[in-house]
Amino acid sequence: NAIRHGDARHMRLAVRREADEVVLQLDDDGSGLADGWQRTEGHHGLRWLRERVDGLGGRIDVAPRPGGQGTRLEVRVPRPATETAA
């Protein structure tokens, strides 16, 4: 979506484990999201992703990238209760 709809040339994906969550963060250098994008038709990919994340008890945030052009997508989901700390 960042390439197709946002004209991004570069993307950075980071996945990290925090104390009780797994965090996925995707930054792109594209044109960003139009004002009011949440209220417009379409964005089915983001809607689908939000439904999946909600189903896992997590949360998703989509916003302009701090300090630069583009968009940041951040997904946080709880770590499984059966996972033990290493």
Side-chain angles (χ1 to χ4, degrees):
N1 281 342
I3 294 168
R4 182 183 304 158
H5 301 295
D7 298 322
R9 294 185 56 192
H10 300 94
M11 291 180 282
R12 179 180 171 268
L13 176 65
V15 179
R16 66 184 182 275
R17 183 175 76 175
E18 294 187 355
D20 58 350
E21 297 179 309
V22 174
V23 180
L24 178 146
Q25 185 173 304
L26 178 67
D27 289 314
D28 71 54
D29 65 352
S31 59
L33 296 164
D35 290 338
W37 70 270
Q38 300 99 328
R39 295 180 301 278
T40 60
E41 291 295 318
H43 301 286
H44 301 293
L46 290 174
R47 190 171 317 146
W48 176 88
L49 181 59
R50 186 174 305 279
E51 289 174 7
R52 299 309 177 270
V53 171
D54 286 348
L56 293 170
R59 61 190 188 277
I60 182 173
D61 184 42
V62 181
R65 195 174 90 192
Q69 179 180 355
T71 303
R72 171 172 286 170
L73 169 84
E74 185 172 275
V75 174
R76 292 177 171 268
V77 293
R79 287 179 46 197
T82 58
E83 186 177 310
T84 58

